[in-house]
Amino acid sequence: MSEQPRKQRHDDATAPLHQRHQKVRATLADDLREEYDQRNVRVNEGDTVEVLRGDFAGEEAEVTDVDLKDETVSVEGVTVEAADGEEVPRPLDASNLRVTALDLSDSRRQARLEDEEDSA
């Protein structure tokens, strides 16, 4: 990996999908950290998160969309007013979120979390 910032930015911008998944991770709440013996997790649609930074800090709501192309997360109720007056979702960086409840409807995700718990 290069030390040059322009090359790092280029690598981020042209990263393949499997690498972009790693950039949409957020820290876990303390109780989930103990339960799954893991510090952070990839944010998925349906997870409940708390916003830690910015104008919406302290808000806790469900994730409505995860955009891997832009590496952003949209949270229910976190909106801004567009120029035409319409309310549009405010994209947030995953590093500014804390996952407070996981959506475990995906059996593969649940198995992966439990496997990592057992291997630690």
Side-chain angles (χ1 to χ4, degrees):
M1 177 133 193
S2 175
E3 291 182 13
Q4 294 180 350
R6 69 183 162 149
K7 288 187 179 179
Q8 289 185 8
R9 283 191 298 269
H10 179 265
D11 288 347
D12 283 346
T14 60
L17 188 63
H18 74 281
Q19 289 177 357
R20 289 178 186 267
H21 283 278
Q22 297 168 3
K23 298 178 189 219
V24 191
R25 295 179 70 86
T27 60
L28 282 169
D30 292 336
D31 57 331
L32 292 174
R33 230 180 241 202
E34 288 178 24
E35 183 179 344
Y36 294 108
D37 198 29
Q38 202 172 329
R39 188 176 180 86
N40 57 36
V41 70
R42 186 208 187 276
V43 180
N44 281 2
E45 217 172 289
D47 289 346
T48 304
V49 296
E50 176 188 359
V51 181
L52 299 176
R53 299 275 186 273
D55 296 336
F56 297 96
E59 298 252 345
E60 189 169 333
E62 192 171 311
V63 174
T64 57
D65 183 47
V66 178
D67 185 357
L68 290 177
K69 183 177 184 298
D70 296 331
E71 299 168 5
T72 59
V73 178
S74 297
V75 178
E76 195 174 284
V78 177
T79 59
V80 290
E81 191 173 322
D84 62 358
E86 185 183 355
E87 291 286 320
V88 294
R90 165 78 166 85
L92 302 170
D93 192 80
S95 66
N96 296 328
L97 304 173
R98 176 187 297 137
V99 178
T100 56
L102 293 168
D103 176 25
L104 297 175
S105 60
D106 181 9
S107 58
R108 288 186 301 173
R109 184 184 198 200
Q110 188 170 5
R112 188 167 39 247
L113 283 168
E114 290 169 1
D115 285 345
E116 289 177 2
E117 177 184 345
D118 294 338
S119 66

